[in-house]
Amino acid sequence: MATPKIPITVITGFVGSGKTTMILNLLPQLRAQNPSYKLALIKNEIGDLNVDSQLAAAAEMTGVSELLGACICCTNVGQIGDALKELDETYAPNRVIIETSGSAEPIKLMVELKRLSQETGRYALDGVVSVVDVENWDGYASTSYTAKLQAQQTDLIVLNKWENLSEMAFDKTLDKLGDMDVDTPHIKSDKGWISKDLLFGIDERMARDWVALSQQQHDHDHDHKHGEGHKHDHNEEMEALSITFTSASPSASLDTTKLATLLKSAPKDEVYRIKAVLRTTQTPANSDGTPADDSSDSTTPRRYILNWSFGRWVWTLDQTEVKEEPVLRMSIFTGRYESNKWLKRIEAKTYTALTDGSEGELIVKRVL
């Protein structure tokens, strides 16, 4: 059976945009869901002193690897493989974050990670996130070519440090992004806090009941307070659907070719993430056309985990025994005001069917 890959998330952004703070805010979320979850960090900085890595270590990051002295997209790009291998052998992390220096060009790093993935079969690029300091964007975006590339060469833009700006000043930032021909989806952070469900895809060690988890997240966000008596929903920029597809037959199998039409057609400016756990007799294909594993179609359903991220997706064969559970459990995270449209499409069974043509029961709920 195929060896599970380590998902890698790249977080980039100009100097002082708040990348490290955002990463540190992810740790409590991950540990709350899985206390033994191991998150490792590769931190790149120009110079010979990295205070941020010391902060990460103090926050009980599983492992931290520093690449100092030059930008990761140039001199240090060849060192990524060694750093990943060392973290893997030493800590066996569930996930690795690569935090680039403020001068890094994301595309060069993405090319290197793709090469390492193909060469080793051990890693998978989960997504590239660019953090924008909205308060100071007007100053550095007009003078830094790299800042523009970081906003263009990414899957998601996180708008950070916007709270003290007027509505007019905030809109000015959005206008500047538009002037750069940037059509990347964007979301506002909450003082450096962003939901892990938006930034991170699923891996087999985090496979849980997404229906229950989504509701728990909703309850948490509803009760979370900022200041005196003020309630603020962390996910006000994001909506989520929970999908459950069941069958009376214990050997029921999901038609992944029909589900693939959703994965291929979902626009990344409307749909941010799709996460699913399902059982099927088919061998699904990843977004690059490669099969999910080296097994062929069978008569016995197997359990697969899906991670769809901004137009790219990866299937992982779950080697645990298939138990009595829904044929499909799926969460879809959309942009604001987009979930109702996708709820109707899912309810119409446009993307769900069983391989034998029999009927199944489909339940679709909006949970955020």
Side-chain angles (χ1 to χ4, degrees):
M1 293 186 178
T3 302
K5 294 184 178 182
I6 300 175
I8 298 173
T9 302
V10 176
I11 297 182
T12 186
F14 205 65
V15 175
S17 59
K19 302 186 294 292
T20 300
T21 298
M22 192 174 74
I23 292 170
L24 296 182
N25 283 334
L26 291 166
L27 278 168
Q29 299 181 60
L30 292 165
R31 299 276 167 76
Q33 184 169 328
N34 183 344
S36 62
Y37 195 84
K38 293 183 287 185
L39 181 67
L41 172 70
I42 295 178
K43 168 70 178 178
N44 171 229
E45 194 58 83
I46 296 176
D48 58 3
L49 179 63
N50 196 341
V51 176
D52 290 342
S53 288
Q54 298 176 40
L55 290 174
E60 299 183 349
M61 186 79 70
T62 297
V64 179
S65 178
E66 297 179 346
L67 298 180
L68 304 178
C71 180
I72 198 171
C73 71
C74 302
T75 306
N76 283 338
V77 71
Q79 300 178 29
I80 290 292
D82 292 338
L84 285 170
K85 182 178 180 182
E86 181 179 356
L87 287 173
D88 187 13
E89 293 177 347
T90 305
Y91 303 105
N94 298 101
R95 177 179 297 274
V96 174
I97 289 179
I98 298 179
E99 181 186 349
T100 74
S101 71
S103 59
E105 298 177 20
I107 192 67
K108 296 180 179 179
L109 181 56
M110 293 164 66
V111 170
E112 175 66 6
L113 290 174
K114 183 176 181 180
R115 184 190 69 80
L116 287 170
S117 176
Q118 294 174 340
E119 182 181 281
T120 66
R122 184 63 177 140
Y123 315 112
L125 178 60
D126 186 35
V128 180
V129 179
S130 182
V131 183
V132 167
D133 175 358
V134 178
E135 194 169 12
N136 297 296
W137 171 256
D138 191 36
Y140 69 75
S142 59
T143 59
S144 172
Y145 177 65
T146 302
K148 296 177 182 178
L149 291 179
Q150 290 171 346
Q152 292 170 333
Q153 300 171 357
T154 186
D155 295 316
L156 176 70
I157 294 174
V158 175
L159 301 173
N160 204 28
K161 303 182 181 180
W162 58 271
E163 288 86 353
N164 295 326
L165 268 67
S166 65
E167 185 175 349
M168 180 180 296
F170 181 78
D171 289 342
K172 187 176 181 180
T173 299
L174 298 184
D175 290 340
K176 277 187 170 289
L177 289 172
D179 291 341
M180 292 163 46
D181 293 326
V182 172
D183 60 356
T184 306
H186 59 266
I187 187 169
K188 292 189 291 186
S189 75
D190 180 9
K191 298 180 180 179
W193 191 99
I194 202 79
S195 170
K196 65 174 177 52
D197 289 324
L198 184 58
L199 293 191
F200 293 162
I202 188 174
D203 64 70
E204 71 282 358
R205 285 158 291 196
M206 290 287 279
R208 297 274 296 279
D209 185 344
W210 293 108
V211 177
L213 286 175
S214 296
Q215 187 60 50
Q216 290 170 15
Q217 184 69 52
H218 176 267
D219 294 341
H220 163 77
D221 291 336
H222 183 268
D223 295 335
H224 191 77
K225 295 182 179 180
H226 294 275
E228 297 182 1
H230 172 62
K231 292 186 177 182
H232 178 78
D233 185 357
H234 280 306
N235 289 315
E236 65 176 3
E237 298 295 310
M238 180 176 65
E239 298 175 352
L241 300 175
S242 173
I243 296 96
T244 306
F245 193 42
T246 59
S247 171
S249 172
S251 61
S253 162
L254 189 79
D255 184 351
T256 58
T257 58
K258 192 166 186 179
L259 181 62
T261 60
L262 167 63
L263 309 183
K264 295 174 182 177
S265 64
K268 64 180 183 180
D269 60 340
E270 295 182 11
V271 179
Y272 296 156
R273 286 279 185 178
I274 301 175
K275 306 177 182 184
V277 179
L278 58 87
R279 67 174 189 260
T280 182
T281 56
Q282 301 171 332
T283 302
N286 300 319
S287 56
D288 62 3
T290 61
D293 57 275
D294 55 9
S295 60
S296 58
D297 292 0
S298 69
T299 56
T300 302
R302 296 182 297 263
R303 194 171 188 260
Y304 283 92
I305 298 168
L306 167 69
N307 170 31
W308 186 101
S309 170
F310 307 105
R312 296 192 300 267
W313 66 90
V314 175
W315 293 92
T316 300
L317 176 63
D318 188 349
Q319 301 182 25
T320 59
E321 181 183 356
V322 176
K323 301 178 181 179
E324 291 186 8
E325 60 181 0
V327 182
L328 169 70
R329 287 184 287 116
M330 181 165 64
S331 289
I332 299 179
F333 298 85
T334 74
R336 198 174 184 184
Y337 308 125
E338 300 290 350
S339 64
N340 286 339
K341 173 172 60 180
W342 287 95
L343 183 147
K344 293 177 181 177
R345 292 180 180 178
I346 300 296
E347 282 185 330
K349 294 189 176 181
T350 307
Y351 310 110
T352 52
L354 300 176
T355 53
D356 63 2
S358 61
E359 290 294 321
E361 182 182 2
L362 180 66
I363 299 175
V364 188
K365 298 179 181 178
R366 179 178 168 181
V367 292
L368 283 181

